[in-house]
Amino acid sequence: MGFFSAIKKMFGGGEPSKETGKEIPSERPSAPSEQPSDVTLETDSRTSIQASVPDLSTSAAATPLPAAQPTDAKDDSDADLTLRLREAEPRLSAWLAVILEDVEEAGELLWRRLLLLLRSLDAPQDEAQAFVDEFRDWLERMEYRQVEEFRSELQYRLALALDLEDEEDERSRLFVKISNGLSRTREQFTRGLEALFAGHGELDDAFWEEMEELFIMADLGYEAALELVERLKERARKEKVTETVGVRKLLMDEVEEIFRVPRHIVAVNPPEVILMIGVNGVGKTTTIAKLAHRDRMQGKKVMIAAADTFRAAAIEQLQVWAERAGALFHARAAGSDPASVAYEAMDRAVRERVDVLYVDTAGRLQTKVNLMEELSKIRHVLGKKHEGAPHRSVLVIDATTGQNALSQTRLFKEAAGVDELILTKLDGTAKGGVAIAVAMQYHLPITYVGLGEKMEDLRPFDGGDYARALLGQNSQSEA
Ligand SMILES: Nc1nc2c(ncn2[C@@H]2O[C@H](COP(=O)(O)OP(=O)(O)OP(=O)(O)O)[C@@H](O)[C@H]2O)c(=O)[nH]1
Ligand SMILES: [Mg+2]
């Protein structure tokens, strides 16, 4: 749950509350505080704390803050801003528009406004301050100054913290992102489809054959292409579609259906343990960092274990990411036994009452046999230390590898077990069609997609959005 989720209650479902501070629950989860890497934290991030209900008329008496100083809330401009926030549409983007008005770059004005926004939304002061401090540190590390450089990340962080990711606003932002990421795939695919529809009026054998070729070219592979055409024929028969133009809708429905793989729900006894697997260079480490970032923004306590002990540089890379995300980190020197690292990390994660443990694994072992043996050893020790662990084995696949994704999935599924897939590097590839093939052949859910190298570029996968983005529909409104 987002740590400012109380605001949902305030603004939930309709008119913004005109009486800020009146409909506030007395308890809420505490904010994620900065967790320096490799430091034992005694606090449990799930502990509820007593809310200190801010009263803007008296908050001048608030404790002074270490970094960005809150302004005197009696200040006229602040009162005016608070009023405008209350009057704004109860949507994140609307609130953001209000506080970013006249703000061009990072600085005191921005920190003040952010604190004001968070406090107006009844975030306890220390949580608001932690949010602002973390964000300011991040901007410094990234060397971003202009609002346009960080607006999107700021909105993403607020959405996660406020538990507003399902909001329509965020969903359409995600759709635009997926749609942009898939533009090259779509371009190729829709051009082929248009030509196909233009060249044939009726659903005859020649039409279906050409469609099959088109699917093969879109990186579905032979088997999946064949199967997809069969399914479309069946749909056309059932729905009595006889003209080629009607096939677009059938295709959209079918693709959406393919992605509707039931998600496996496992009863989790915390810490939830997630094992990241996949071949060399697909994006395992980066994806762990992005997932950890999401979890941290949602107030979870996270640990990352470097069970990729193959190169010293890989361990250092992971440590840097862990620090950036504010996650605990567990590693041993390069060349150590990966299973021992996993075992120790598991032990520590239980003792330190971590919510989520990510185990990063190597992608580059000399032989497949080695890789698979090592993975099963890691799985074994995790399960020995903590019942049910790993709760999820996530196979990371690089979308740019196209057809190769299919053989990787088969190999890992057979040898190591795979519960779900994350598809990375969808931005800019023309091979996004491979997602269909993998989901169709292996009946595995795709849970997230990587749409770029930034922290906010990992987003939950939505089959419907993906189908629409792939097949050239520009809006999700018709959904
Ligand atoms: N454009 C783009 N690049 C990505 C994405 N995900 C990861 N990358 C990049 O891919 C490269 C490899 O990422 P890593 O996370 O190191 O991959 P890995 O699987 O851990 O690699 P090994 O540990 O060597 O097996 C990095 O340069 C990442 O920035 C994505 O979604 N889009
Ligand atoms: Mg790695």
Side-chain angles (χ1 to χ4, degrees), residues 155-156 165-181 294 448-449 451 456-462 465-466 469 476:
Q155 183 161 346
Y156 180 56
E165 218 189 2
D166 283 337
E167 210 194 36
E168 204 174 310
D169 204 38
E170 273 304 293
R171 298 238 329 113
S172 57
R173 259 171 35 98
L174 174 61
F175 181 77
V176 169
K177 241 179 179 309
I178 290 187
S179 193
N180 289 344
R294 290 178 61 86
Y448 290 91
V449 284
L451 296 159
E456 66 146 339
D457 293 335
L458 184 84
R459 292 305 185 92
F461 177 80
D462 180 292
D465 281 355
Y466 199 88
Q476 55 171 7

PDB file of all heavy atoms in Angstrom, residues 155-156 165-181 294 448-449 451 456-462 465-466 469 476:
ATOM      1  N   GLN A 155       6.035  12.078 -11.193  1.00  0.00           N
ATOM      2  CA  GLN A 155       4.659  11.585 -11.223  1.00  0.00           C
ATOM      3  C   GLN A 155       4.619  10.087 -10.918  1.00  0.00           C
ATOM      4  O   GLN A 155       3.742   9.605 -10.202  1.00  0.00           O
ATOM      5  CB  GLN A 155       4.025  11.883 -12.588  1.00  0.00           C
ATOM      6  CG  GLN A 155       2.568  11.453 -12.627  1.00  0.00           C
ATOM      7  CD  GLN A 155       1.765  12.118 -13.732  1.00  0.00           C
ATOM      8  OE1 GLN A 155       2.198  13.093 -14.338  1.00  0.00           O
ATOM      9  NE2 GLN A 155       0.590  11.574 -14.000  1.00  0.00           N
ATOM     10  N   TYR A 156       5.592   9.373 -11.471  1.00  0.00           N
ATOM     11  CA  TYR A 156       5.673   7.922 -11.226  1.00  0.00           C
ATOM     12  C   TYR A 156       5.855   7.643  -9.736  1.00  0.00           C
ATOM     13  O   TYR A 156       5.175   6.812  -9.145  1.00  0.00           O
ATOM     14  CB  TYR A 156       6.847   7.369 -12.027  1.00  0.00           C
ATOM     15  CG  TYR A 156       7.093   5.884 -11.888  1.00  0.00           C
ATOM     16  CD1 TYR A 156       6.094   4.960 -12.164  1.00  0.00           C
ATOM     17  CD2 TYR A 156       8.337   5.408 -11.497  1.00  0.00           C
ATOM     18  CE1 TYR A 156       6.340   3.603 -12.059  1.00  0.00           C
ATOM     19  CE2 TYR A 156       8.591   4.049 -11.402  1.00  0.00           C
ATOM     20  CZ  TYR A 156       7.595   3.152 -11.676  1.00  0.00           C
ATOM     21  OH  TYR A 156       7.838   1.809 -11.573  1.00  0.00           O
ATOM     22  N   GLU A 165      -1.515   3.922  -8.993  1.00  0.00           N
ATOM     23  CA  GLU A 165      -1.047   3.473 -10.297  1.00  0.00           C
ATOM     24  C   GLU A 165      -2.179   2.990 -11.194  1.00  0.00           C
ATOM     25  O   GLU A 165      -2.053   2.973 -12.406  1.00  0.00           O
ATOM     26  CB  GLU A 165       0.013   2.388 -10.140  1.00  0.00           C
ATOM     27  CG  GLU A 165       1.093   2.537 -11.183  1.00  0.00           C
ATOM     28  CD  GLU A 165       2.025   1.357 -11.184  1.00  0.00           C
ATOM     29  OE1 GLU A 165       1.825   0.412 -10.407  1.00  0.00           O
ATOM     30  OE2 GLU A 165       2.944   1.384 -11.985  1.00  0.00           O
ATOM     31  N   ASP A 166      -3.287   2.595 -10.565  1.00  0.00           N
ATOM     32  CA  ASP A 166      -4.410   2.121 -11.369  1.00  0.00           C
ATOM     33  C   ASP A 166      -5.296   3.260 -11.863  1.00  0.00           C
ATOM     34  O   ASP A 166      -6.246   3.041 -12.594  1.00  0.00           O
ATOM     35  CB  ASP A 166      -5.285   1.151 -10.560  1.00  0.00           C
ATOM     36  CG  ASP A 166      -4.635  -0.208 -10.482  1.00  0.00           C
ATOM     37  OD1 ASP A 166      -3.807  -0.501 -11.362  1.00  0.00           O
ATOM     38  OD2 ASP A 166      -4.960  -0.953  -9.549  1.00  0.00           O
ATOM     39  N   GLU A 167      -4.953   4.442 -11.411  1.00  0.00           N
ATOM     40  CA  GLU A 167      -5.751   5.594 -11.821  1.00  0.00           C
ATOM     41  C   GLU A 167      -5.702   5.741 -13.332  1.00  0.00           C
ATOM     42  O   GLU A 167      -4.692   5.458 -13.958  1.00  0.00           O
ATOM     43  CB  GLU A 167      -5.153   6.835 -11.169  1.00  0.00           C
ATOM     44  CG  GLU A 167      -6.149   7.892 -10.893  1.00  0.00           C
ATOM     45  CD  GLU A 167      -5.454   9.215 -10.584  1.00  0.00           C
ATOM     46  OE1 GLU A 167      -4.417   9.507 -11.195  1.00  0.00           O
ATOM     47  OE2 GLU A 167      -5.976   9.927  -9.742  1.00  0.00           O
ATOM     48  N   GLU A 168      -6.786   6.222 -13.886  1.00  0.00           N
ATOM     49  CA  GLU A 168      -6.883   6.337 -15.338  1.00  0.00           C
ATOM     50  C   GLU A 168      -5.732   7.145 -15.917  1.00  0.00           C
ATOM     51  O   GLU A 168      -5.158   6.820 -16.949  1.00  0.00           O
ATOM     52  CB  GLU A 168      -8.204   7.013 -15.675  1.00  0.00           C
ATOM     53  CG  GLU A 168      -8.682   6.678 -17.062  1.00  0.00           C
ATOM     54  CD  GLU A 168     -10.059   7.235 -17.305  1.00  0.00           C
ATOM     55  OE1 GLU A 168     -10.943   7.003 -16.457  1.00  0.00           O
ATOM     56  OE2 GLU A 168     -10.211   7.907 -18.321  1.00  0.00           O
ATOM     57  N   ASP A 169      -5.420   8.185 -15.199  1.00  0.00           N
ATOM     58  CA  ASP A 169      -4.335   9.059 -15.592  1.00  0.00           C
ATOM     59  C   ASP A 169      -3.024   8.304 -15.797  1.00  0.00           C
ATOM     60  O   ASP A 169      -2.328   8.451 -16.792  1.00  0.00           O
ATOM     61  CB  ASP A 169      -4.177   9.996 -14.393  1.00  0.00           C
ATOM     62  CG  ASP A 169      -3.543  11.278 -14.772  1.00  0.00           C
ATOM     63  OD1 ASP A 169      -3.863  11.758 -15.856  1.00  0.00           O
ATOM     64  OD2 ASP A 169      -2.725  11.767 -13.985  1.00  0.00           O
ATOM     65  N   GLU A 170      -2.701   7.467 -14.824  1.00  0.00           N
ATOM     66  CA  GLU A 170      -1.476   6.690 -14.893  1.00  0.00           C
ATOM     67  C   GLU A 170      -1.585   5.633 -15.980  1.00  0.00           C
ATOM     68  O   GLU A 170      -0.627   5.328 -16.671  1.00  0.00           O
ATOM     69  CB  GLU A 170      -1.201   6.013 -13.545  1.00  0.00           C
ATOM     70  CG  GLU A 170      -0.429   6.845 -12.575  1.00  0.00           C
ATOM     71  CD  GLU A 170       0.891   7.327 -13.147  1.00  0.00           C
ATOM     72  OE1 GLU A 170       1.798   6.522 -13.407  1.00  0.00           O
ATOM     73  OE2 GLU A 170       1.017   8.547 -13.355  1.00  0.00           O
ATOM     74  N   ARG A 171      -2.784   5.076 -16.119  1.00  0.00           N
ATOM     75  CA  ARG A 171      -2.964   4.033 -17.123  1.00  0.00           C
ATOM     76  C   ARG A 171      -2.771   4.610 -18.521  1.00  0.00           C
ATOM     77  O   ARG A 171      -2.181   3.978 -19.379  1.00  0.00           O
ATOM     78  CB  ARG A 171      -4.352   3.392 -17.001  1.00  0.00           C
ATOM     79  CG  ARG A 171      -4.557   2.706 -15.664  1.00  0.00           C
ATOM     80  CD  ARG A 171      -4.907   1.232 -15.750  1.00  0.00           C
ATOM     81  NE  ARG A 171      -5.636   0.869 -16.918  1.00  0.00           N
ATOM     82  CZ  ARG A 171      -5.168   0.095 -17.894  1.00  0.00           C
ATOM     83  NH1 ARG A 171      -3.950  -0.382 -17.809  1.00  0.00           N
ATOM     84  NH2 ARG A 171      -5.918  -0.214 -18.923  1.00  0.00           N
ATOM     85  N   SER A 172      -3.236   5.834 -18.744  1.00  0.00           N
ATOM     86  CA  SER A 172      -3.054   6.345 -20.092  1.00  0.00           C
ATOM     87  C   SER A 172      -1.602   6.743 -20.328  1.00  0.00           C
ATOM     88  O   SER A 172      -1.092   6.622 -21.435  1.00  0.00           O
ATOM     89  CB  SER A 172      -4.034   7.472 -20.421  1.00  0.00           C
ATOM     90  OG  SER A 172      -3.891   8.491 -19.502  1.00  0.00           O
ATOM     91  N   ARG A 173      -0.929   7.163 -19.261  1.00  0.00           N
ATOM     92  CA  ARG A 173       0.513   7.444 -19.408  1.00  0.00           C
ATOM     93  C   ARG A 173       1.255   6.168 -19.786  1.00  0.00           C
ATOM     94  O   ARG A 173       2.156   6.155 -20.609  1.00  0.00           O
ATOM     95  CB  ARG A 173       1.082   7.961 -18.078  1.00  0.00           C
ATOM     96  CG  ARG A 173       1.244   9.464 -18.067  1.00  0.00           C
ATOM     97  CD  ARG A 173       1.583  10.013 -16.705  1.00  0.00           C
ATOM     98  NE  ARG A 173       2.430   9.220 -15.849  1.00  0.00           N
ATOM     99  CZ  ARG A 173       3.735   9.393 -15.694  1.00  0.00           C
ATOM    100  NH1 ARG A 173       4.372  10.311 -16.358  1.00  0.00           N
ATOM    101  NH2 ARG A 173       4.416   8.641 -14.853  1.00  0.00           N
ATOM    102  N   LEU A 174       0.845   5.086 -19.152  1.00  0.00           N
ATOM    103  CA  LEU A 174       1.477   3.799 -19.433  1.00  0.00           C
ATOM    104  C   LEU A 174       1.197   3.371 -20.869  1.00  0.00           C
ATOM    105  O   LEU A 174       2.079   2.891 -21.577  1.00  0.00           O
ATOM    106  CB  LEU A 174       0.963   2.737 -18.456  1.00  0.00           C
ATOM    107  CG  LEU A 174       1.425   1.304 -18.731  1.00  0.00           C
ATOM    108  CD1 LEU A 174       2.944   1.224 -18.636  1.00  0.00           C
ATOM    109  CD2 LEU A 174       0.808   0.338 -17.735  1.00  0.00           C
ATOM    110  N   PHE A 175      -0.042   3.594 -21.282  1.00  0.00           N
ATOM    111  CA  PHE A 175      -0.390   3.201 -22.638  1.00  0.00           C
ATOM    112  C   PHE A 175       0.462   3.963 -23.653  1.00  0.00           C
ATOM    113  O   PHE A 175       0.980   3.387 -24.608  1.00  0.00           O
ATOM    114  CB  PHE A 175      -1.880   3.445 -22.913  1.00  0.00           C
ATOM    115  CG  PHE A 175      -2.268   3.033 -24.298  1.00  0.00           C
ATOM    116  CD1 PHE A 175      -2.440   1.694 -24.609  1.00  0.00           C
ATOM    117  CD2 PHE A 175      -2.404   3.969 -25.309  1.00  0.00           C
ATOM    118  CE1 PHE A 175      -2.753   1.295 -25.905  1.00  0.00           C
ATOM    119  CE2 PHE A 175      -2.721   3.590 -26.604  1.00  0.00           C
ATOM    120  CZ  PHE A 175      -2.897   2.245 -26.900  1.00  0.00           C
ATOM    121  N   VAL A 176       0.633   5.245 -23.408  1.00  0.00           N
ATOM    122  CA  VAL A 176       1.452   6.054 -24.318  1.00  0.00           C
ATOM    123  C   VAL A 176       2.883   5.511 -24.350  1.00  0.00           C
ATOM    124  O   VAL A 176       3.505   5.383 -25.404  1.00  0.00           O
ATOM    125  CB  VAL A 176       1.439   7.541 -23.869  1.00  0.00           C
ATOM    126  CG1 VAL A 176       2.480   8.352 -24.626  1.00  0.00           C
ATOM    127  CG2 VAL A 176       0.062   8.130 -24.080  1.00  0.00           C
ATOM    128  N   LYS A 177       3.363   5.133 -23.182  1.00  0.00           N
ATOM    129  CA  LYS A 177       4.726   4.601 -23.093  1.00  0.00           C
ATOM    130  C   LYS A 177       4.861   3.294 -23.876  1.00  0.00           C
ATOM    131  O   LYS A 177       5.786   3.102 -24.653  1.00  0.00           O
ATOM    132  CB  LYS A 177       5.051   4.317 -21.623  1.00  0.00           C
ATOM    133  CG  LYS A 177       6.200   5.129 -21.151  1.00  0.00           C
ATOM    134  CD  LYS A 177       6.490   4.854 -19.694  1.00  0.00           C
ATOM    135  CE  LYS A 177       7.690   5.681 -19.270  1.00  0.00           C
ATOM    136  NZ  LYS A 177       8.852   5.559 -20.129  1.00  0.00           N
ATOM    137  N   ILE A 178       3.923   2.391 -23.653  1.00  0.00           N
ATOM    138  CA  ILE A 178       3.968   1.114 -24.350  1.00  0.00           C
ATOM    139  C   ILE A 178       3.831   1.353 -25.842  1.00  0.00           C
ATOM    140  O   ILE A 178       4.551   0.787 -26.659  1.00  0.00           O
ATOM    141  CB  ILE A 178       2.835   0.175 -23.863  1.00  0.00           C
ATOM    142  CG1 ILE A 178       3.136  -0.276 -22.439  1.00  0.00           C
ATOM    143  CG2 ILE A 178       2.696  -1.033 -24.775  1.00  0.00           C
ATOM    144  CD1 ILE A 178       2.206  -1.329 -21.909  1.00  0.00           C
ATOM    145  N   SER A 179       2.918   2.235 -26.157  1.00  0.00           N
ATOM    146  CA  SER A 179       2.657   2.524 -27.552  1.00  0.00           C
ATOM    147  C   SER A 179       3.896   3.123 -28.227  1.00  0.00           C
ATOM    148  O   SER A 179       4.262   2.731 -29.338  1.00  0.00           O
ATOM    149  CB  SER A 179       1.478   3.495 -27.610  1.00  0.00           C
ATOM    150  OG  SER A 179       1.015   3.567 -28.908  1.00  0.00           O
ATOM    151  N   ASN A 180       4.556   4.040 -27.536  1.00  0.00           N
ATOM    152  CA  ASN A 180       5.794   4.597 -28.101  1.00  0.00           C
ATOM    153  C   ASN A 180       6.860   3.531 -28.240  1.00  0.00           C
ATOM    154  O   ASN A 180       7.568   3.465 -29.238  1.00  0.00           O
ATOM    155  CB  ASN A 180       6.335   5.725 -27.215  1.00  0.00           C
ATOM    156  CG  ASN A 180       5.472   6.963 -27.296  1.00  0.00           C
ATOM    157  OD1 ASN A 180       4.665   7.086 -28.217  1.00  0.00           O
ATOM    158  ND2 ASN A 180       5.608   7.852 -26.328  1.00  0.00           N
ATOM    159  N   GLY A 181       6.955   2.710 -27.199  1.00  0.00           N
ATOM    160  CA  GLY A 181       7.972   1.656 -27.214  1.00  0.00           C
ATOM    161  C   GLY A 181       7.763   0.697 -28.372  1.00  0.00           C
ATOM    162  O   GLY A 181       8.718   0.213 -28.976  1.00  0.00           O
ATOM    163  N   ARG A 294      10.309   0.270  -7.273  1.00  0.00           N
ATOM    164  CA  ARG A 294       8.847   0.256  -7.146  1.00  0.00           C
ATOM    165  C   ARG A 294       8.439  -0.137  -5.729  1.00  0.00           C
ATOM    166  O   ARG A 294       7.596   0.506  -5.117  1.00  0.00           O
ATOM    167  CB  ARG A 294       8.235  -0.751  -8.128  1.00  0.00           C
ATOM    168  CG  ARG A 294       8.309  -0.376  -9.583  1.00  0.00           C
ATOM    169  CD  ARG A 294       7.704  -1.486 -10.441  1.00  0.00           C
ATOM    170  NE  ARG A 294       6.308  -1.707 -10.116  1.00  0.00           N
ATOM    171  CZ  ARG A 294       5.289  -1.024 -10.647  1.00  0.00           C
ATOM    172  NH1 ARG A 294       5.521  -0.120 -11.565  1.00  0.00           N
ATOM    173  NH2 ARG A 294       4.057  -1.261 -10.282  1.00  0.00           N
ATOM    174  N   TYR A 448       5.733  -7.759 -16.237  1.00  0.00           N
ATOM    175  CA  TYR A 448       6.207  -6.393 -16.453  1.00  0.00           C
ATOM    176  C   TYR A 448       6.896  -6.303 -17.803  1.00  0.00           C
ATOM    177  O   TYR A 448       7.348  -7.312 -18.341  1.00  0.00           O
ATOM    178  CB  TYR A 448       7.231  -5.986 -15.381  1.00  0.00           C
ATOM    179  CG  TYR A 448       6.629  -5.792 -14.021  1.00  0.00           C
ATOM    180  CD1 TYR A 448       6.561  -6.840 -13.114  1.00  0.00           C
ATOM    181  CD2 TYR A 448       6.114  -4.548 -13.645  1.00  0.00           C
ATOM    182  CE1 TYR A 448       5.986  -6.669 -11.861  1.00  0.00           C
ATOM    183  CE2 TYR A 448       5.547  -4.368 -12.398  1.00  0.00           C
ATOM    184  CZ  TYR A 448       5.486  -5.431 -11.510  1.00  0.00           C
ATOM    185  OH  TYR A 448       4.922  -5.247 -10.285  1.00  0.00           O
ATOM    186  N   VAL A 449       6.980  -5.076 -18.313  1.00  0.00           N
ATOM    187  CA  VAL A 449       7.762  -4.859 -19.523  1.00  0.00           C
ATOM    188  C   VAL A 449       8.766  -3.738 -19.289  1.00  0.00           C
ATOM    189  O   VAL A 449       8.463  -2.758 -18.601  1.00  0.00           O
ATOM    190  CB  VAL A 449       6.877  -4.507 -20.741  1.00  0.00           C
ATOM    191  CG1 VAL A 449       6.191  -5.748 -21.272  1.00  0.00           C
ATOM    192  CG2 VAL A 449       5.859  -3.433 -20.416  1.00  0.00           C
ATOM    193  N   LEU A 451      10.738  -0.699 -20.778  1.00  0.00           N
ATOM    194  CA  LEU A 451      10.526   0.215 -21.900  1.00  0.00           C
ATOM    195  C   LEU A 451      11.623   1.265 -22.002  1.00  0.00           C
ATOM    196  O   LEU A 451      11.442   2.313 -22.602  1.00  0.00           O
ATOM    197  CB  LEU A 451       9.169   0.909 -21.741  1.00  0.00           C
ATOM    198  CG  LEU A 451       7.957  -0.019 -21.790  1.00  0.00           C
ATOM    199  CD1 LEU A 451       6.754   0.614 -21.128  1.00  0.00           C
ATOM    200  CD2 LEU A 451       7.633  -0.382 -23.227  1.00  0.00           C
ATOM    201  N   GLU A 456      11.793   4.447 -14.015  1.00  0.00           N
ATOM    202  CA  GLU A 456      10.339   4.417 -14.232  1.00  0.00           C
ATOM    203  C   GLU A 456       9.966   3.658 -15.507  1.00  0.00           C
ATOM    204  O   GLU A 456       8.796   3.570 -15.870  1.00  0.00           O
ATOM    205  CB  GLU A 456       9.775   5.836 -14.284  1.00  0.00           C
ATOM    206  CG  GLU A 456      10.250   6.617 -15.472  1.00  0.00           C
ATOM    207  CD  GLU A 456       9.192   7.573 -16.007  1.00  0.00           C
ATOM    208  OE1 GLU A 456       8.006   7.365 -15.745  1.00  0.00           O
ATOM    209  OE2 GLU A 456       9.569   8.509 -16.706  1.00  0.00           O
ATOM    210  N   ASP A 457      10.972   3.124 -16.185  1.00  0.00           N
ATOM    211  CA  ASP A 457      10.702   2.459 -17.458  1.00  0.00           C
ATOM    212  C   ASP A 457      10.369   0.977 -17.330  1.00  0.00           C
ATOM    213  O   ASP A 457      10.482   0.222 -18.293  1.00  0.00           O
ATOM    214  CB  ASP A 457      11.888   2.640 -18.414  1.00  0.00           C
ATOM    215  CG  ASP A 457      12.048   4.086 -18.838  1.00  0.00           C
ATOM    216  OD1 ASP A 457      11.044   4.816 -18.810  1.00  0.00           O
ATOM    217  OD2 ASP A 457      13.164   4.487 -19.192  1.00  0.00           O
ATOM    218  N   LEU A 458       9.998   0.569 -16.146  1.00  0.00           N
ATOM    219  CA  LEU A 458       9.507  -0.801 -15.994  1.00  0.00           C
ATOM    220  C   LEU A 458       8.064  -0.688 -15.531  1.00  0.00           C
ATOM    221  O   LEU A 458       7.785  -0.066 -14.514  1.00  0.00           O
ATOM    222  CB  LEU A 458      10.309  -1.564 -14.944  1.00  0.00           C
ATOM    223  CG  LEU A 458       9.886  -3.027 -14.815  1.00  0.00           C
ATOM    224  CD1 LEU A 458      10.584  -3.871 -15.870  1.00  0.00           C
ATOM    225  CD2 LEU A 458      10.193  -3.566 -13.437  1.00  0.00           C
ATOM    226  N   ARG A 459       7.158  -1.230 -16.314  1.00  0.00           N
ATOM    227  CA  ARG A 459       5.750  -1.036 -15.985  1.00  0.00           C
ATOM    228  C   ARG A 459       4.990  -2.353 -16.022  1.00  0.00           C
ATOM    229  O   ARG A 459       5.373  -3.267 -16.753  1.00  0.00           O
ATOM    230  CB  ARG A 459       5.121  -0.061 -16.966  1.00  0.00           C
ATOM    231  CG  ARG A 459       5.647   1.361 -16.830  1.00  0.00           C
ATOM    232  CD  ARG A 459       5.491   1.867 -15.405  1.00  0.00           C
ATOM    233  NE  ARG A 459       5.871   3.247 -15.287  1.00  0.00           N
ATOM    234  CZ  ARG A 459       5.027   4.268 -15.402  1.00  0.00           C
ATOM    235  NH1 ARG A 459       3.766   4.050 -15.641  1.00  0.00           N
ATOM    236  NH2 ARG A 459       5.436   5.502 -15.262  1.00  0.00           N
ATOM    237  N   PRO A 460       3.915  -2.428 -15.234  1.00  0.00           N
ATOM    238  CA  PRO A 460       3.103  -3.646 -15.262  1.00  0.00           C
ATOM    239  C   PRO A 460       2.609  -3.903 -16.672  1.00  0.00           C
ATOM    240  O   PRO A 460       2.287  -2.968 -17.402  1.00  0.00           O
ATOM    241  CB  PRO A 460       1.926  -3.317 -14.345  1.00  0.00           C
ATOM    242  CG  PRO A 460       2.364  -2.171 -13.526  1.00  0.00           C
ATOM    243  CD  PRO A 460       3.365  -1.412 -14.330  1.00  0.00           C
ATOM    244  N   PHE A 461       2.582  -5.148 -17.047  1.00  0.00           N
ATOM    245  CA  PHE A 461       2.140  -5.517 -18.395  1.00  0.00           C
ATOM    246  C   PHE A 461       0.629  -5.625 -18.426  1.00  0.00           C
ATOM    247  O   PHE A 461       0.025  -6.223 -17.540  1.00  0.00           O
ATOM    248  CB  PHE A 461       2.767  -6.864 -18.765  1.00  0.00           C
ATOM    249  CG  PHE A 461       2.319  -7.381 -20.102  1.00  0.00           C
ATOM    250  CD1 PHE A 461       2.879  -6.897 -21.263  1.00  0.00           C
ATOM    251  CD2 PHE A 461       1.337  -8.363 -20.192  1.00  0.00           C
ATOM    252  CE1 PHE A 461       2.482  -7.381 -22.504  1.00  0.00           C
ATOM    253  CE2 PHE A 461       0.923  -8.848 -21.421  1.00  0.00           C
ATOM    254  CZ  PHE A 461       1.499  -8.354 -22.579  1.00  0.00           C
ATOM    255  N   ASP A 462       0.041  -5.049 -19.443  1.00  0.00           N
ATOM    256  CA  ASP A 462      -1.406  -5.167 -19.632  1.00  0.00           C
ATOM    257  C   ASP A 462      -1.644  -5.682 -21.044  1.00  0.00           C
ATOM    258  O   ASP A 462      -1.315  -5.016 -22.024  1.00  0.00           O
ATOM    259  CB  ASP A 462      -2.058  -3.789 -19.426  1.00  0.00           C
ATOM    260  CG  ASP A 462      -3.570  -3.855 -19.619  1.00  0.00           C
ATOM    261  OD1 ASP A 462      -4.048  -4.072 -20.749  1.00  0.00           O
ATOM    262  OD2 ASP A 462      -4.275  -3.702 -18.605  1.00  0.00           O
ATOM    263  N   ASP A 465      -3.721  -3.449 -23.439  1.00  0.00           N
ATOM    264  CA  ASP A 465      -2.954  -2.290 -23.911  1.00  0.00           C
ATOM    265  C   ASP A 465      -1.917  -2.722 -24.936  1.00  0.00           C
ATOM    266  O   ASP A 465      -1.682  -2.046 -25.930  1.00  0.00           O
ATOM    267  CB  ASP A 465      -2.203  -1.632 -22.743  1.00  0.00           C
ATOM    268  CG  ASP A 465      -3.133  -0.764 -21.906  1.00  0.00           C
ATOM    269  OD1 ASP A 465      -4.302  -0.617 -22.303  1.00  0.00           O
ATOM    270  OD2 ASP A 465      -2.684  -0.245 -20.871  1.00  0.00           O
ATOM    271  N   TYR A 466      -1.294  -3.850 -24.648  1.00  0.00           N
ATOM    272  CA  TYR A 466      -0.252  -4.329 -25.542  1.00  0.00           C
ATOM    273  C   TYR A 466      -0.834  -4.638 -26.920  1.00  0.00           C
ATOM    274  O   TYR A 466      -0.285  -4.248 -27.945  1.00  0.00           O
ATOM    275  CB  TYR A 466       0.402  -5.577 -24.961  1.00  0.00           C
ATOM    276  CG  TYR A 466       1.755  -5.888 -25.567  1.00  0.00           C
ATOM    277  CD1 TYR A 466       2.906  -5.329 -25.046  1.00  0.00           C
ATOM    278  CD2 TYR A 466       1.867  -6.739 -26.669  1.00  0.00           C
ATOM    279  CE1 TYR A 466       4.145  -5.605 -25.605  1.00  0.00           C
ATOM    280  CE2 TYR A 466       3.099  -7.015 -27.233  1.00  0.00           C
ATOM    281  CZ  TYR A 466       4.239  -6.458 -26.688  1.00  0.00           C
ATOM    282  OH  TYR A 466       5.460  -6.719 -27.247  1.00  0.00           O
ATOM    283  N   ALA A 469      -1.628  -1.388 -28.613  1.00  0.00           N
ATOM    284  CA  ALA A 469      -0.421  -0.673 -29.022  1.00  0.00           C
ATOM    285  C   ALA A 469       0.237  -1.355 -30.225  1.00  0.00           C
ATOM    286  O   ALA A 469       0.780  -0.715 -31.109  1.00  0.00           O
ATOM    287  CB  ALA A 469       0.565  -0.596 -27.860  1.00  0.00           C
ATOM    288  N   GLN A 476      -6.990   4.007 -25.585  1.00  0.00           N
ATOM    289  CA  GLN A 476      -7.554   2.873 -24.871  1.00  0.00           C
ATOM    290  C   GLN A 476      -9.036   3.108 -24.600  1.00  0.00           C
ATOM    291  O   GLN A 476      -9.688   2.286 -23.972  1.00  0.00           O
ATOM    292  CB  GLN A 476      -6.823   2.661 -23.560  1.00  0.00           C
ATOM    293  CG  GLN A 476      -6.796   3.891 -22.680  1.00  0.00           C
ATOM    294  CD  GLN A 476      -6.262   3.564 -21.310  1.00  0.00           C
ATOM    295  OE1 GLN A 476      -5.798   2.464 -21.062  1.00  0.00           O
ATOM    296  NE2 GLN A 476      -6.336   4.500 -20.398  1.00  0.00           N
TER     297      GLN A 476
END
